[in-house]
């Protein structure tokens, strides 16, 4: 069954079924489908007259939104912060500069020890 058909069937069952438990089951199935189910849940919420169905819809919407926020927090925790990344880049740049200075110092000493072509007598 395609996603669109599944969403439609669950939404219609939650809105128009005569059995309250079947409505709640459809809402729970919709909520398990994630963020894509939010428009359907909001539509059910706006149509229904039963307080327990409204409460179930609100709980489902809340759990989807909280799950989305938790996922975003986990992703942010796994990514290095901008300050950490810039500090690492600065440390790397400093290391490169130090190595270049050391090589220049070594090269300068070596060039002093060896005579250059211009320094040789004709």
């Amino acid at each position: 069954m395609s996603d669109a058909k599944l969403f439609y069937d669950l939404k219609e069952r939650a809105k128009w079924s005569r059995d309250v438990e079947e409505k709640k089951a459809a809402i729970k199935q919709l909520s398990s489908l994630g963020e894509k189910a939010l428009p359907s849940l909001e539509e059910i919420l706006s149509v229904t007259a039963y307080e327990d169905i409204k409460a179930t819809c609100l709980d489902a919407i809340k759990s989807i939104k909280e799950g989305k926020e938790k996922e975003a927090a986990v992703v942010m925790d796994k990514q290095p912060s901008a300050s950490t990344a810039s500090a690492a880049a600065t440390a790397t740049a400093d290391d490169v500069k130090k190595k270049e200075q050391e090589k220049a110092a070594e090269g300068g000493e070596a060039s002093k020890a060896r005579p250059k072509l211009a320094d040789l007598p004709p």
Side-chain angles (χ1 to χ4, degrees), residues 55-66:
T56 304
C57 279
L58 288 172
D59 288 343
I61 291 169
K62 182 180 175 183
S63 69
I64 290 171
K65 289 183 178 180
E66 285 176 353

Side-chain angles (χ1 to χ4, degrees), residues 1 3 13 29 42 44 48 52 65 73 92 98 105 107:
M1 184 180 296
D3 285 344
R13 196 175 327 148
Q29 284 181 319
E42 290 169 354
I44 295 164
T48 191
D52 57 336
K65 289 183 178 180
T92 304
K98 285 180 184 178

Side-chain angles (χ1 to χ4, degrees), residues 3 6 25 32 42 48 54 57-58 63 74 78 100 103 108:
D3 285 344
L6 178 64
S32 70
E42 290 169 354
T48 191
K54 285 183 180 183
C57 279
L58 288 172
S63 69
V74 168
K78 289 183 179 179
E100 288 175 355
K103 285 182 181 179

